[in-house]
Amino acid sequence: MSTKKLSIHTLRKNYGLYRLDENYVSNNPLKQFELWMNEALQMNVKEPNAMNLSTVTQNRRPSSRIVLLRGFDKKGFVFYTNYLSVKGHNLASNPFAALTFFWPELEKQVRIEGKVMKVSKAISDAYFNSRPRESQTGAWASSQSEVLKNRGELEEMFENLTEKFKGKPIPRPKYWGGYCLIPDKIEFWQGRSNRLHDRILYEKLKRDRWKISRLAP
């Protein structure tokens, strides 16, 4: 019985679901992003708010991970995490970061760059209080990015905190909260046939105005 050998270099997908024309996009990239996000939600894309967050370490090495977008508006894109995590330390030393969304079902990608700032304590409190109690407890139990002896150490901490907070409101840890990435560049990518993809770049100008350009694929 023969088995077919997997080969990455022969993988091919010819895109062609949609097109992206700079003459018909919104003048504001946040509105264009909202259109695409709504489309992803309507098409039941799996985890449409999952995004790659790239930061830079103190010794100028890139560091990336997947986090979840928890809100966006005319100011920027909001996510939540432990301020003492690797990404938290990176953002404290270098507040610039990049986000990437990829929705393969729609053959779409969005790249976002900008400066990151902490959201207000009130906003962080409101979001933390909206989370399930188990997630709230998890924020207390995990010293994110710190070395653990084993899985049991984490589970024991979670169980102890579950008992400690039993029947009580769980406060937000001071080391946990939200960030907002304020974009100055946003690129929309639409897969097209023969690798002749559409790429539309928005660059921030003064007074909330944006320059729109088409990029070669």
Side-chain angles (χ1 to χ4, degrees), residues 107-127:
E107 302 175 355
K108 296 181 187 295
Q109 175 182 262
V110 184
R111 296 175 58 245
I112 305 166
E113 299 177 12
K115 187 173 184 178
V116 179
M117 300 179 66
K118 288 182 179 178
V119 303
S120 70
K121 293 180 180 179
I123 291 175
S124 289
D125 285 341
Y127 175 70

Side-chain angles (χ1 to χ4, degrees), residues 35 44 79 86 146 156 172 179 197:
L35 291 172
N44 294 317
F79 60 94
V86 169
E146 296 295 322
E156 182 180 0
R172 175 179 64 89
Y179 289 100
H197 310 306

Side-chain angles (χ1 to χ4, degrees), residues 6-169:
L6 297 176
S7 179
I8 293 175
H9 80 273
T10 60
L11 294 176
R12 294 285 185 276
K13 177 176 173 57
N14 201 27
Y15 300 109
L17 286 178
Y18 306 101
R19 57 184 295 182
L20 184 61
D21 192 320
E22 63 270 31
N23 295 310
Y24 297 101
V25 295
S26 172
N27 290 329
N28 188 305
L30 280 304
K31 292 182 179 178
Q32 185 64 37
F33 180 84
E34 183 177 14
L35 291 172
W36 276 25
M37 176 58 81
N38 286 338
E39 183 179 359
L41 292 169
Q42 292 167 7
M43 296 297 290
N44 294 317
V45 170
K46 292 182 179 180
E47 299 226 62
N49 60 331
M51 58 188 185
N52 182 77
L53 167 65
S54 296
T55 55
V56 179
T57 66
Q58 288 184 328
N59 58 352
R60 298 185 295 178
R61 292 174 64 101
S63 179
S64 296
R65 76 289 289 160
I66 302 298
V67 299
L68 298 178
L69 177 70
R70 286 308 186 190
F72 66 95
D73 55 24
K74 63 181 180 180
K75 185 177 181 181
F77 301 82
V78 176
F79 60 94
Y80 294 85
T81 190
N82 187 315
Y83 294 144
L84 303 180
S85 63
V86 169
K87 53 187 171 296
H89 286 300
N90 290 350
L91 291 171
S93 62
N94 183 345
F96 292 91
L99 306 173
T100 303
F101 294 84
F102 180 51
W103 302 313
E105 297 94 332
L106 303 178
E107 302 175 355
K108 296 181 187 295
Q109 175 182 262
V110 184
R111 296 175 58 245
I112 305 166
E113 299 177 12
K115 187 173 184 178
V116 179
M117 300 179 66
K118 288 182 179 178
V119 303
S120 70
K121 293 180 180 179
I123 291 175
S124 289
D125 285 341
Y127 175 70
F128 186 82
N129 292 335
S130 74
R131 304 179 88 204
R133 285 185 64 86
E134 293 81 3
S135 296
Q136 293 176 343
T137 305
W140 280 96
S142 174
S143 300
Q144 195 174 110
S145 303
E146 296 295 322
V147 175
L148 291 169
K149 291 185 297 184
N150 49 48
R151 173 78 185 184
E153 181 182 2
L154 179 63
E155 293 177 347
E156 182 180 0
M157 179 65 73
F158 183 85
E159 291 172 4
N160 291 340
L161 287 165
T162 298
E163 185 62 29
K164 175 182 177 180
F165 291 127
K166 189 174 182 179
K168 306 174 185 177

Side-chain angles (χ1 to χ4, degrees), residues 27-29 184 202-212:
N27 290 329
N28 188 305
D184 52 42
Y202 291 78
E203 296 175 282
K204 187 72 176 288
L205 302 175
K206 295 180 179 179
R207 297 181 181 179
D208 294 327
R209 293 176 57 246
W210 295 84
K211 175 185 176 183
I212 301 176

